[in-house]
Amino acid sequence: MSTQLRSILKHAKHSFWDEPRYIKNTKIDFEGRDEFQKNVLEAVNEKGYYLASEYFDKETTQIMLDAAKKHSGKTAQDDKLHLSFPDYGVERYLAADRRNELSPFFCEYFDEIGASYLGGHGTRYQSMFEVKGTIGKRSSADIPHFDDWRKRFKIFLYLNDVGKENCPFVIYENSYSRDPARKHKELEYVLSGKNGSYGHLCSNEELKLLENPRVTKISVEAKAGSVIFVDTRFIHRGTASIKGDNRLLLGSYFDLR
Ligand SMILES: [Fe+2]
Protein backbone atom coordinates (compact mmCIF):
# COMPACT_ATOMS: atom_id res chain seq x y z
CA MET A 1 0.00 0.00 0.00
CA SER A 2 1.39 3.42 -0.88
CA THR A 3 2.23 5.90 1.88
CA GLN A 4 -0.33 8.32 0.49
CA LEU A 5 -3.13 5.77 0.52
CA ARG A 6 -2.18 4.73 4.06
CA SER A 7 -2.44 8.38 5.16
CA ILE A 8 -5.85 8.79 3.55
CA LEU A 9 -7.15 5.67 5.32
CA LYS A 10 -5.68 6.79 8.63
CA HIS A 11 -7.25 10.24 8.19
CA ALA A 12 -10.67 8.72 7.41
CA LYS A 13 -10.48 6.30 10.36
CA HIS A 14 -9.58 9.12 12.74
CA SER A 15 -12.25 11.54 11.51
CA PHE A 16 -15.15 9.15 11.00
CA TRP A 17 -14.54 6.46 13.59
CA ASP A 18 -11.95 7.10 16.34
CA GLU A 19 -12.75 10.72 17.10
CA PRO A 20 -16.58 10.54 17.10
CA ARG A 21 -16.51 7.37 19.24
CA TYR A 22 -14.02 8.94 21.63
CA ILE A 23 -16.09 12.12 22.03
CA LYS A 24 -19.20 10.05 22.76
CA ASN A 25 -17.43 7.81 25.30
CA THR A 26 -15.74 10.60 27.21
CA LYS A 27 -18.60 13.06 27.66
CA ILE A 28 -18.29 14.35 31.25
CA ASP A 29 -20.36 12.36 33.70
CA PHE A 30 -21.48 14.64 36.55
CA GLU A 31 -23.55 11.91 38.24
CA GLY A 32 -22.78 11.66 41.95
CA ARG A 33 -20.24 14.49 42.02
CA ASP A 34 -20.43 17.16 44.74
CA GLU A 35 -20.31 20.94 44.25
CA PHE A 36 -16.51 21.29 44.29
CA GLN A 37 -16.04 18.39 41.89
CA LYS A 38 -18.65 19.81 39.49
CA ASN A 39 -16.98 23.23 39.58
CA VAL A 40 -13.65 21.63 38.71
CA LEU A 41 -15.13 19.57 35.88
CA GLU A 42 -16.94 22.56 34.37
CA ALA A 43 -13.96 24.92 34.62
CA VAL A 44 -11.49 22.43 33.16
CA ASN A 45 -13.84 21.62 30.31
CA GLU A 46 -14.53 25.26 29.54
CA LYS A 47 -11.23 27.05 29.99
CA GLY A 48 -8.71 24.22 30.44
CA TYR A 49 -7.86 24.37 34.13
CA TYR A 50 -9.01 24.95 37.68
CA LEU A 51 -6.70 26.27 40.39
CA ALA A 52 -7.56 25.41 43.99
CA SER A 53 -5.19 27.75 45.83
CA GLU A 54 -3.77 26.30 49.05
CA TYR A 55 -6.23 23.41 48.93
CA PHE A 56 -4.07 21.56 51.46
CA ASP A 57 -3.00 23.32 54.66
CA LYS A 58 0.67 23.90 55.47
CA GLU A 59 0.96 20.95 57.86
CA THR A 60 -0.52 18.41 55.43
CA THR A 61 1.59 19.78 52.59
CA GLN A 62 4.76 19.53 54.68
CA ILE A 63 3.99 15.90 55.55
CA MET A 64 3.51 15.14 51.84
CA LEU A 65 6.71 16.98 50.91
CA ASP A 66 8.72 14.98 53.43
CA ALA A 67 7.16 11.74 52.17
CA ALA A 68 7.84 12.66 48.54
CA LYS A 69 11.50 13.27 49.34
CA LYS A 70 11.71 9.92 51.11
CA HIS A 71 10.11 8.32 48.05
CA SER A 72 12.71 9.88 45.76
CA GLY A 73 15.52 8.72 48.05
CA LYS A 74 14.18 5.19 48.03
CA THR A 75 13.57 4.96 44.28
CA ALA A 76 16.62 6.94 43.08
CA GLN A 77 18.50 3.77 42.07
CA ASP A 78 15.49 2.05 40.54
CA ASP A 79 15.64 2.36 36.75
CA LYS A 80 11.95 1.61 36.36
CA LEU A 81 10.74 4.16 38.92
CA HIS A 82 13.29 6.93 38.55
CA LEU A 83 13.22 8.77 35.24
CA SER A 84 16.10 11.19 35.04
CA PHE A 85 16.27 13.92 32.40
CA PRO A 86 19.36 15.92 33.37
CA ASP A 87 19.39 17.70 30.00
CA TYR A 88 15.92 19.04 30.80
CA GLY A 89 16.53 19.66 34.50
CA VAL A 90 13.79 17.18 35.40
CA GLU A 91 13.78 14.18 37.77
CA ARG A 92 10.68 12.02 38.07
CA TYR A 93 9.96 9.39 40.71
CA LEU A 94 7.03 7.19 39.76
CA ALA A 95 4.58 5.11 41.79
CA ALA A 96 4.40 7.85 44.43
CA ASP A 97 0.92 6.62 45.37
CA ARG A 98 2.59 3.69 47.15
CA ARG A 99 3.40 5.96 50.06
CA ASN A 100 0.57 6.24 52.58
CA GLU A 101 1.50 9.78 53.58
CA LEU A 102 0.70 10.91 50.03
CA SER A 103 -2.85 9.56 50.18
CA PRO A 104 -4.41 13.00 50.81
CA PHE A 105 -3.47 13.77 47.20
CA PHE A 106 -3.63 10.35 45.52
CA CYS A 107 -7.14 9.93 46.85
CA GLU A 108 -10.51 8.58 45.79
CA TYR A 109 -12.04 12.07 45.79
CA PHE A 110 -9.64 13.33 43.10
CA ASP A 111 -9.82 9.99 41.27
CA GLU A 112 -13.58 10.49 40.98
CA ILE A 113 -12.97 13.82 39.24
CA GLY A 114 -10.53 12.17 36.83
CA ALA A 115 -12.94 9.34 36.13
CA SER A 116 -15.89 11.69 35.57
CA TYR A 117 -13.96 13.95 33.22
CA LEU A 118 -13.44 10.93 30.96
CA GLY A 119 -17.10 9.91 30.84
CA GLY A 120 -16.89 7.93 34.09
CA HIS A 121 -14.22 5.66 32.62
CA GLY A 122 -10.99 7.50 33.43
CA THR A 123 -8.38 5.77 35.54
CA ARG A 124 -5.19 7.02 37.12
CA TYR A 125 -2.26 5.67 35.15
CA GLN A 126 0.56 7.64 36.70
CA SER A 127 1.41 9.03 40.12
CA MET A 128 4.70 10.82 40.39
CA PHE A 129 6.89 13.17 42.35
CA GLU A 130 8.73 15.58 40.08
CA VAL A 131 11.67 17.85 40.80
CA LYS A 132 12.34 20.48 38.15
CA GLY A 133 14.75 23.34 38.25
CA THR A 134 18.29 23.09 36.91
CA ILE A 135 19.22 26.57 35.80
CA GLY A 136 18.83 27.22 32.09
CA LYS A 137 17.69 23.67 31.21
CA ARG A 138 14.71 23.41 28.92
CA SER A 139 12.75 20.63 27.26
CA SER A 140 10.22 20.38 24.47
CA ALA A 141 7.56 20.53 27.21
CA ASP A 142 8.61 24.17 27.72
CA ILE A 143 7.36 24.96 24.21
CA PRO A 144 3.60 25.64 23.92
CA HIS A 145 1.89 22.37 23.00
CA PHE A 146 -1.07 20.06 23.50
CA ASP A 147 -0.37 16.55 24.76
CA ASP A 148 -2.86 14.68 22.61
CA TRP A 149 -6.05 15.12 20.58
CA ARG A 150 -7.64 12.98 23.28
CA LYS A 151 -8.40 14.24 26.76
CA ARG A 152 -5.45 13.88 29.07
CA PHE A 153 -6.61 14.89 32.53
CA LYS A 154 -3.87 15.81 34.99
CA ILE A 155 -3.83 16.97 38.58
CA PHE A 156 -0.77 18.70 40.03
CA LEU A 157 0.03 19.61 43.60
CA TYR A 158 2.70 22.22 44.24
CA LEU A 159 4.73 21.06 47.22
CA ASN A 160 6.62 24.34 47.45
CA ASP A 161 5.76 27.94 46.63
CA VAL A 162 5.98 28.44 42.87
CA GLY A 163 6.69 31.91 41.51
CA LYS A 164 7.76 33.20 38.13
CA GLU A 165 11.38 32.13 38.67
CA ASN A 166 10.92 28.49 39.67
CA CYS A 167 9.16 26.82 36.79
CA PRO A 168 5.49 27.81 36.97
CA PHE A 169 3.11 25.73 34.87
CA VAL A 170 1.70 27.85 32.04
CA ILE A 171 -1.71 27.31 30.48
CA TYR A 172 -3.34 29.15 27.60
CA GLU A 173 -6.85 29.66 28.90
CA ASN A 174 -9.64 28.89 26.40
CA SER A 175 -7.09 27.61 23.87
CA TYR A 176 -8.90 24.41 22.88
CA SER A 177 -11.17 24.83 19.88
CA ARG A 178 -12.41 23.01 16.83
CA ASP A 179 -11.24 25.70 14.42
CA PRO A 180 -9.46 24.63 11.19
CA ALA A 181 -5.97 25.50 12.48
CA ARG A 182 -6.39 23.28 15.51
CA LYS A 183 -7.95 20.47 13.51
CA HIS A 184 -5.03 20.65 11.13
CA LYS A 185 -2.56 20.33 14.05
CA GLU A 186 -4.44 17.36 15.46
CA LEU A 187 -4.49 15.65 12.10
CA GLU A 188 -0.76 16.16 11.78
CA TYR A 189 -0.40 14.63 15.27
CA VAL A 190 -2.39 11.59 14.19
CA LEU A 191 -0.75 11.13 10.79
CA SER A 192 2.88 12.07 11.51
CA GLY A 193 3.27 11.53 15.27
CA LYS A 194 6.74 12.42 16.46
CA ASN A 195 7.86 12.92 12.86
CA GLY A 196 5.72 16.05 12.76
CA SER A 197 5.33 18.91 15.24
CA TYR A 198 3.60 16.47 17.63
CA GLY A 199 1.24 19.13 19.00
CA HIS A 200 3.94 21.78 19.45
CA LEU A 201 3.35 25.35 18.31
CA CYS A 202 5.98 27.48 16.61
CA SER A 203 6.25 31.17 17.62
CA ASN A 204 3.96 32.30 14.81
CA GLU A 205 1.30 29.78 15.77
CA GLU A 206 1.50 30.92 19.38
CA LEU A 207 1.11 34.58 18.33
CA LYS A 208 -1.84 33.66 16.13
CA LEU A 209 -3.46 31.81 19.02
CA LEU A 210 -3.01 34.80 21.33
CA GLU A 211 -4.66 37.08 18.75
CA ASN A 212 -7.90 35.48 19.84
CA PRO A 213 -9.13 37.82 22.62
CA ARG A 214 -10.56 34.87 24.56
CA VAL A 215 -7.19 33.16 24.83
CA THR A 216 -5.02 34.28 27.74
CA LYS A 217 -1.64 32.98 28.79
CA ILE A 218 -1.75 32.20 32.50
CA SER A 219 1.38 31.53 34.51
CA VAL A 220 0.15 29.48 37.43
CA GLU A 221 2.09 30.95 40.33
CA ALA A 222 0.75 29.65 43.62
CA LYS A 223 1.62 28.72 47.17
CA ALA A 224 2.57 25.27 48.38
CA GLY A 225 -0.53 23.13 48.86
CA SER A 226 -2.23 24.49 45.73
CA VAL A 227 -3.81 22.00 43.34
CA ILE A 228 -4.16 22.49 39.59
CA PHE A 229 -6.60 20.42 37.53
CA VAL A 230 -5.83 20.49 33.80
CA ASP A 231 -7.01 19.15 30.47
CA THR A 232 -3.80 19.02 28.46
CA ARG A 233 -5.63 19.23 25.14
CA PHE A 234 -5.50 22.93 25.97
CA ILE A 235 -2.21 24.57 25.00
CA HIS A 236 0.23 24.65 27.89
CA ARG A 237 3.93 24.59 28.60
CA GLY A 238 6.50 24.41 31.36
CA THR A 239 9.00 27.10 32.28
CA ALA A 240 12.73 26.82 32.91
CA SER A 241 14.18 27.81 36.26
CA ILE A 242 15.64 31.30 36.20
CA LYS A 243 18.11 30.99 39.08
CA GLY A 244 18.12 27.25 39.68
CA ASP A 245 15.37 27.16 42.30
CA ASN A 246 13.34 23.96 42.19
CA ARG A 247 9.67 23.34 41.69
CA LEU A 248 8.49 20.28 43.59
CA LEU A 249 5.22 18.73 42.62
CA LEU A 250 3.07 15.65 42.69
CA GLY A 251 1.30 14.65 39.48
CA SER A 252 -1.67 12.39 39.00
CA TYR A 253 -2.56 11.51 35.38
CA PHE A 254 -5.81 10.05 34.02
CA ASP A 255 -6.72 8.41 30.77
CA LEU A 256 -8.88 5.62 29.36
CA ARG A 257 -7.01 2.39 30.05
FE1 LIG B 1 2.32 18.63 28.14
Side-chain angles (χ1 to χ4, degrees):
M1 198 190 302
S2 74
T3 313
Q4 203 178 7
L5 180 58
R6 209 175 292 140
S7 286
I8 290 167
L9 291 175
K10 217 169 167 184
H11 182 169
K13 182 174 176 289
H14 172 72
S15 302
F16 299 110
W17 180 251
D18 294 341
E19 191 178 42
R21 274 184 78 216
Y22 184 84
I23 290 169
K24 196 166 166 239
N25 286 341
T26 57
K27 195 165 176 289
I28 298 179
D29 180 5
F30 290 97
E31 186 73 37
R33 301 287 69 86
D34 71 14
E35 208 53 33
F36 174 81
Q37 291 174 315
K38 282 181 187 165
N39 287 342
V40 171
L41 291 165
E42 276 165 3
V44 173
N45 188 50
E46 199 181 302
K47 60 178 189 167
Y49 78 106
Y50 181 96
L51 170 65
S53 293
E54 295 176 82
Y55 182 90
F56 293 107
D57 61 30
K58 283 191 168 59
E59 194 188 342
T60 311
T61 305
Q62 186 62 48
I63 291 168
M64 288 197 275
L65 175 59
D66 293 342
K69 285 179 176 170
K70 276 184 202 155
H71 180 68
S72 64
K74 203 171 174 191
T75 54
Q77 306 305 324
D78 186 330
D79 288 347
K80 285 199 183 108
L81 297 182
H82 177 208
L83 306 180
S84 183
F85 307 97
D87 291 346
Y88 303 155
V90 172
E91 302 292 325
R92 287 183 174 160
Y93 306 90
L94 309 183
D97 59 352
R98 289 182 191 171
R99 285 204 85 94
N100 279 338
E101 306 96 309
L102 297 179
S103 61
F105 178 67
F106 298 112
C107 63
E108 197 182 333
Y109 188 67
F110 284 174
D111 286 351
E112 285 172 355
I113 300 176
S116 298
Y117 196 72
L118 287 140
H121 315 296
T123 52
R124 171 147 49 86
Y125 68 91
Q126 190 171 133
S127 61
M128 64 159 189
F129 170 47
E130 183 186 271
V131 180
K132 181 177 183 190
T134 313
I135 193 163
K137 298 287 185 188
R138 290 175 191 280
S139 76
S140 63
D142 296 338
I143 295 167
H145 66 281
F146 58 85
D147 283 356
D148 202 322
W149 64 269
R150 289 166 287 232
K151 289 179 173 182
R152 198 77 71 78
F153 187 74
K154 299 186 176 181
I155 311 176
F156 300 113
L157 164 63
Y158 284 166
L159 289 169
N160 63 338
D161 294 347
V162 176
K164 62 177 186 296
E165 296 197 337
N166 64 325
C167 318
F169 177 74
V170 174
I171 180 113
Y172 294 64
E173 191 175 288
N174 300 319
S175 58
Y176 178 69
S177 72
R178 307 309 297 144
D179 69 19
R182 172 62 185 235
K183 280 192 170 178
H184 179 79
K185 289 293 279 188
E186 289 190 5
L187 204 54
E188 187 201 10
Y189 181 101
V190 171
L191 297 179
S192 306
K194 289 184 177 174
N195 294 322
S197 67
Y198 202 46
H200 290 75
L201 271 55
C202 66
S203 321
N204 281 347
E205 288 170 322
E206 183 193 11
L207 288 173
K208 188 93 193 137
L209 179 72
L210 289 168
E211 276 174 14
N212 180 342
R214 290 193 70 238
V215 177
T216 315
K217 184 158 79 172
I218 308 281
S219 175
V220 187
E221 292 156 30
K223 294 271 188 205
S226 298
V227 177
I228 312 161
F229 302 85
V230 191
D231 176 346
T232 58
R233 285 178 308 177
F234 288 76
I235 304 298
H236 62 283
R237 66 169 173 81
T239 315
S241 180
I242 307 293
K243 292 179 183 159
D245 294 330
N246 284 336
R247 180 194 69 186
L248 309 171
L249 63 71
L250 296 179
S252 187
Y253 295 1
F254 298 82
D255 205 346
L256 297 181
R257 295 274 152 151

